[in-house]
Amino acid sequence: MAGASASERRAGVNNASSAPCVAMMIVIMALAGGASAQLSTGFYSSSCPGMPGAVKSAVQSAVAKEPRMGASILRLFFHDCFVQGCDASLLLDDTPSLQGEKTAQPNNGSVRGFEVIDAVKAAVEQLCPGVVSCADVLAVAARDSVVALGGPSWEVKVGRRDSTTASFSGANNNIPPPTSGLANLTALFAAQGLSQKDMVALSGSHTIGQARCTSFRAHIYNESDIDSGFAGTRQSGCPSTSGSGDNNLAPLDLQTPTVFENNYYKNLVAKKGLLHSDQELFNGGATDPQVQSYVSSQSAFFADFVSGMIKMGDISPLTGNNGQIRINCRKTN
């Protein structure tokens, strides 16, 4: 600036001194934007205070009618969050211009409970039209399903918005198949920001629900890490030939498939895990001690399960002006 005029030098000084202020304002605005984009337990406390009660009532009614539905809704939430985050993309039906996730390999013929989510959403819409997202309805319904079957409760963070897209390939690649080994399970959960500890705790959701013969056939006929008597019991309802009895159901928890407790882990220690991926959690590997700890303490399992559910609910939510609030969970507005 040697050849600059006095006024130019003054302007340069003013610009230089104002630069840090501008930068600080940008940082503050960015932080404020980030904070406003976070989920919170009180997001609807003013805009739809009746939402929790409406969801709870509809879920309790559905689970009382069919206890298995609690597991089905919990599974919907898990399969939704592992693809594009917890954005209700799984709820979208296929259209000529959108390939949904419902017919992807992990979901096709097995995900269920969509009509219950429709009913829950309709009840919430009556109270507060266009306010509560399908993604939040599913998140709260998953918690209420666990509670309805005797499991722990927790405060659900809300404020998600709904996607206008889905990912068929994401559903095929991100959701752990029942043939997964421990390393693959750990890697697929890690890809979602969830630890191996979270994975073992969240796998405890298999203390409720049913699985199809096609998902456990190889484990009960071809593998050795299974109690022979248990394998025989399961073989009686699951023919060895692929294509025969594929949709025959068996309880994931041999003892109490409609009660949420720690029997799942007791089954694993007894080599009575229904899925290959279940028994991998207790098969001489790094997760054996954690499984043993849950056998000893149901409260420890419940605490870690709640922590894992909250972390899973935080996966890549759409907030602020991103996405939309779908009126019908099966289609974009």
Side-chain angles (χ1 to χ4, degrees):
M1 292 179 63
S5 66
S7 61
E8 288 172 328
R9 288 195 296 273
R10 284 196 299 274
V13 170
N14 288 340
N15 287 340
S17 62
S18 66
C21 296
V22 172
M24 183 61 70
M25 286 176 65
I26 291 172
V27 170
I28 291 171
M29 288 170 67
L31 289 173
S36 67
Q38 298 305 306
L39 306 179
S40 70
T41 57
F43 188 84
Y44 298 115
S45 58
S46 298
S47 59
C48 195
M51 180 273 288
V55 175
K56 182 179 180 180
S57 177
V59 169
Q60 284 182 332
S61 176
V63 173
K65 183 178 179 181
E66 184 197 1
R68 181 191 172 201
M69 188 55 69
S72 298
I73 292 172
L74 179 57
R75 186 168 182 255
L76 280 180
F77 183 57
F78 167 51
H79 282 214
D80 179 47
C81 290
F82 265 54
V83 184
Q84 296 189 167
C86 309
D87 62 356
S89 59
L90 175 56
L91 305 182
L92 289 170
D93 287 338
D94 286 5
T95 70
S97 59
L98 181 144
Q99 183 177 31
E101 299 165 14
K102 293 180 179 179
T103 58
Q105 181 64 34
N107 299 328
N108 194 25
S110 66
V111 285
R112 59 195 298 275
F114 297 108
E115 71 286 351
V116 174
I117 298 303
D118 290 340
V120 176
K121 172 65 169 173
V124 173
E125 281 295 306
Q126 279 199 318
L127 286 179
C128 320
V131 173
V132 181
S133 67
C134 297
D136 281 341
V137 163
L138 182 54
V140 176
R143 185 273 313 275
D144 291 342
S145 294
V146 171
V147 173
L149 295 176
S153 186
W154 63 94
E155 290 290 316
V156 179
K157 290 191 279 186
V158 287
R160 302 169 189 80
R161 288 168 66 84
D162 299 322
S163 69
T164 57
T165 63
S167 178
F168 182 83
S169 62
N172 276 326
N173 295 323
N174 298 357
I175 299 169
T179 54
S180 295
L182 182 59
N184 191 42
L185 287 168
T186 302
L188 287 170
F189 274 74
Q192 303 297 334
L194 298 168
S195 67
Q196 188 177 69
K197 180 180 180 180
D198 296 324
M199 182 270 290
V200 176
L202 290 171
S203 295
S205 61
H206 286 180
T207 189
I208 53 176
Q210 309 267 332
R212 297 186 302 157
C213 168
T214 185
S215 66
F216 60 83
R217 177 182 282 121
H219 181 52
I220 63 173
Y221 282 102
N222 305 332
E223 298 178 1
S224 59
D225 59 337
I226 185 170
D227 177 84
S228 59
F230 173 67
T233 299
R234 291 282 74 95
Q235 288 169 6
S236 66
C238 178
S240 60
T241 305
S242 180
S244 176
D246 283 2
N247 292 322
N248 292 357
L249 297 173
L252 284 158
D253 176 351
L254 171 71
Q255 304 171 67
T256 50
T258 59
V259 181
F260 195 100
E261 22 69 321
N262 65 339
N263 278 345
Y264 167 78
Y265 298 101
K266 296 177 182 178
N267 295 336
L268 298 186
V269 171
K271 297 292 185 182
K272 295 179 181 180
L274 183 62
L275 307 179
H276 173 84
S277 55
D278 288 329
Q279 197 58 58
E280 279 289 291
L281 304 185
F282 191 84
N283 196 28
T287 55
D288 282 17
Q290 189 179 346
V291 170
Q292 289 277 22
S293 74
Y294 294 160
V295 170
S296 302
S297 173
Q298 180 169 281
S299 61
F301 161 48
F302 278 9
D304 290 349
F305 178 81
V306 165
S307 175
M309 286 295 291
I310 293 170
K311 285 178 68 174
M312 187 167 72
D314 284 341
I315 299 174
S316 306
L318 296 171
T319 56
N321 293 320
N322 296 313
Q324 61 181 212
I325 305 296
R326 282 186 226 142
I327 304 304
N328 179 340
C329 293
R330 294 173 182 263
K331 62 181 184 180
T332 58
N333 296 341

